[in-house]
Amino acid sequence: MRLEIGNIFIQDIQFGAETKVENGVLYVNKEELLAEIGGDERVASIDFDIARPGESVRIIPVKDVVEPRVKVEGNGGIFPGFISKVDTVGSGRTHVLKGAAVVTTGKIVGFQEGIIDMTGEGAKYTPFSKTNNLVIIAEPKEGIDQHNHEDAVRMIGFKAATYLGKAGKNVEPNEVKTFETLPLLQQVAQYPELPKVVYVYMIQTQGLLHDTYVYGVDGKKIIPTIMYPTEAFDGAVVSGNCVSACDKNPTYVHMNHPVIEELYERHGKDINFIGCIVTNENVYLADKQRSSDWVAKTLEYLGADAAVVSEEGFGNPDADLVMNCNKITDKGIKTVLLTDEYAGQDGSSQSLADSTPKADAVVTNGNANEVIVLPKLDRVIGHPEAANVIAGANHESLREDGSIEAEIQVITGATSEVGFHYLTAKGY
């Protein structure tokens, strides 16, 4: 499967009379956008704002971040199973408004939501301090339950990103990148001298607002399945979860998956990147056993020499991570794990809920319990009082002067800032 990504560099977002891209500026017609995303009876009001890199702006609580994209050539459309039909995506050409993002906020859904600071200490830890953000403030009607609230805001974000993405359909990209994965036997034959590497793509699927979707299907309902890596770039995997902000992969991260991008960068040089296995992180032991069995079995069937395994979330999913590691290693397949740590504020606590001596190559994204102070900023979009209840904070986190003292886990997308160079850990 071959996909061209046409990046259209966006330097600014402004409201205007017409939604278009011109000279690196994304102009947005607010009335048209509202007509496109409005009408959900679960939502009481929708408003818009803009947050640019370097501005003294805080967005809180952040629900999701989505990148505007549009299919120009090839099968299907962006966000299959939600916005587009469930056609297989990942081929042809997709245009991206690179440097722009849709950020959803409003009254808190669940305590595990996050913060984006566009400047100051917090901006160092989130990739979204570097994007031009169209912020959608969607306030729910009184009395709706949390799941309906989350679903309504999630769909608003997807619709907005789809609407904005269309502005780039007929724009000549500033750069075009090509990603290709051949059918398995052809892929193996392309670089027979290089180790065959598969990415094990663990997604958060614990329920209770901890959900991720694959082609519109709740990840709890799938068994591990093979996926062309390029499918992720067209929105085949999307976030629907409110897991701790630094652990959560917002939809933007799935669409710009840094592990997949880095493995493609290494492909043909020192590895043969032959594909992905998407697997879940469920609550019940039988589900964990079933999924980890299928992951190891599928890797063996593919003839993989090595696997890179990343985890979304922490605590309960640590058991899935360790099960995958043990069973993959038992198949004689080298394994590298990618995770973050919850090692206590002083860094001396047990950092993972489970462990194994077979995990002898682990890449850490840092300690999420590290305490930081976010300075007072001039403007807050959303609800600043959420700073006292989100995961990683406490009832005294929001200070009288508007600054926030909390653990780094309150920052949206904090762990996605890490550079990925795992395979050198075991001499691949």
Side-chain angles (χ1 to χ4, degrees):
M1 192 172 285
R2 185 176 187 272
L3 178 66
E4 293 181 348
I5 294 290
N7 288 320
I8 301 164
F9 297 148
I10 301 299
Q11 307 299 329
D12 190 16
I13 297 178
Q14 299 178 20
F15 294 120
E18 179 185 358
T19 297
K20 62 180 180 180
V21 175
E22 189 174 90
N23 298 322
V25 178
L26 171 61
Y27 294 94
V28 181
N29 182 306
K30 293 170 67 174
E31 291 73 24
E32 282 188 4
L33 176 57
L34 182 59
E36 192 75 19
I37 68 176
D40 194 315
E41 295 181 352
R42 299 170 294 184
V43 176
S45 66
I46 295 176
D47 199 3
F48 307 109
D49 208 330
I50 295 171
R52 302 176 179 88
E55 293 183 340
S56 185
V57 177
R58 172 168 295 143
I59 310 168
I60 179 173
V62 175
K63 305 184 189 316
D64 199 7
V65 185
V66 191
E67 186 171 57
R69 297 192 171 200
V70 62
K71 290 297 293 181
V72 176
E73 299 173 2
N75 199 43
I78 303 298
F79 307 124
F82 285 106
I83 302 298
S84 306
K85 294 181 179 179
V86 292
D87 300 309
T88 300
V89 294
S91 63
R93 185 164 178 168
T94 296
H95 282 185
V96 181
L97 301 190
K98 185 59 64 180
V102 172
V103 177
T104 49
T105 188
K107 184 179 178 182
I108 196 164
V109 176
F111 67 91
Q112 291 180 314
E113 297 182 29
I115 299 172
I116 295 174
D117 279 1
M118 302 305 294
T119 192
E121 183 69 14
K124 299 176 183 178
Y125 300 100
T126 174
F128 308 119
S129 64
K130 303 174 183 66
T131 52
N132 293 282
N133 300 317
L134 177 70
V135 185
I136 301 177
I137 306 100
E139 302 293 3
K141 284 190 176 178
E142 291 295 327
I144 72 166
D145 64 41
Q146 289 177 299
H147 287 85
N148 272 303
H149 184 184
E150 184 279 321
D151 180 71
V153 177
R154 170 164 33 95
M155 289 304 299
I156 284 171
F158 295 164
K159 289 177 181 179
T162 302
Y163 168 79
L164 296 177
K166 291 177 182 177
K169 186 168 186 178
N170 298 314
V171 177
E172 186 65 27
N174 298 96
E175 69 174 10
V176 177
K177 295 184 176 182
T178 301
F179 302 89
E180 185 173 23
T181 300
L182 301 172
L184 180 61
L185 296 182
Q186 296 176 43
Q187 187 64 62
V188 171
Q190 187 180 39
Y191 299 107
E193 72 286 0
L194 296 178
K196 300 180 290 297
V197 176
V198 174
Y199 172 46
V200 178
Y201 189 164
M202 291 175 60
I203 57 175
Q204 179 65 248
T205 56
Q206 291 179 276
L208 300 175
L209 301 177
H210 289 48
D211 297 308
T212 306
Y213 297 86
V214 181
Y215 282 88
V217 176
D218 187 333
K220 293 191 296 296
K221 300 179 181 179
I222 70 169
I223 56 174
T225 187
I226 299 169
M227 187 177 83
Y228 278 102
T230 54
E231 293 177 65
F233 297 155
D234 279 341
V237 182
V238 299
S239 175
N241 73 67
C242 302
V243 70
S244 291
C246 75
D247 283 294
K248 172 183 177 177
N249 290 327
T251 298
Y252 184 105
V253 172
H254 290 293
M255 301 172 81
N256 294 273
H257 205 299
V259 181
I260 294 175
E261 289 185 351
E262 178 67 16
L263 290 172
Y264 266 126
E265 179 63 27
R266 303 280 292 272
H267 176 64
K269 299 175 182 177
D270 49 10
I271 65 169
N272 188 346
F273 180 31
I274 63 175
C276 297
I277 298 173
V278 180
T279 186
N280 44 26
E281 302 168 354
N282 289 322
V283 175
Y284 297 108
L285 180 59
D287 293 327
K288 293 177 183 295
Q289 291 176 329
R290 181 186 304 109
S291 289
S292 55
D293 281 348
W294 275 70
V295 166
K297 175 179 66 175
T298 305
L299 283 165
E300 180 184 47
Y301 183 74
L302 293 173
D305 297 308
V308 176
V309 188
S310 69
E311 174 186 21
E312 183 177 17
F314 68 99
N316 187 293
D318 293 346
D320 302 82
L321 184 73
V322 167
M323 282 186 179
N324 281 321
C325 178
N326 286 336
K327 294 177 182 180
I328 294 168
T329 304
D330 286 345
K331 297 288 187 181
I333 300 168
K334 294 183 178 181
T335 306
V336 176
L337 306 183
L338 174 65
T339 184
D340 59 358
E341 301 177 44
Y342 281 77
Q345 294 183 358
D346 62 358
S348 63
S349 299
Q350 179 177 323
S351 58
L352 297 175
D354 199 0
S355 63
T356 171
K358 296 177 182 178
D360 57 358
V362 180
V363 179
T364 177
N365 285 300
N367 180 18
N369 293 135
E370 180 183 344
V371 176
I372 57 174
V373 176
L374 308 179
K376 177 185 182 298
L377 299 184
D378 294 341
R379 190 160 63 94
V380 177
I381 303 174
H383 297 266
E385 66 276 9
N388 285 337
V389 296
I390 59 178
N394 59 67
H395 68 285
E396 296 180 342
S397 284
L398 181 61
R399 296 169 170 175
E400 289 185 6
D401 65 357
S403 62
I404 297 171
E405 181 177 1
E407 295 179 354
I408 197 173
Q409 62 174 300
V410 302
I411 303 294
T412 299
T415 57
S416 65
E417 277 289 83
V418 173
F420 297 90
H421 299 285
Y422 340 91
L423 297 177
T424 54
K426 295 188 84 169
Y428 296 150

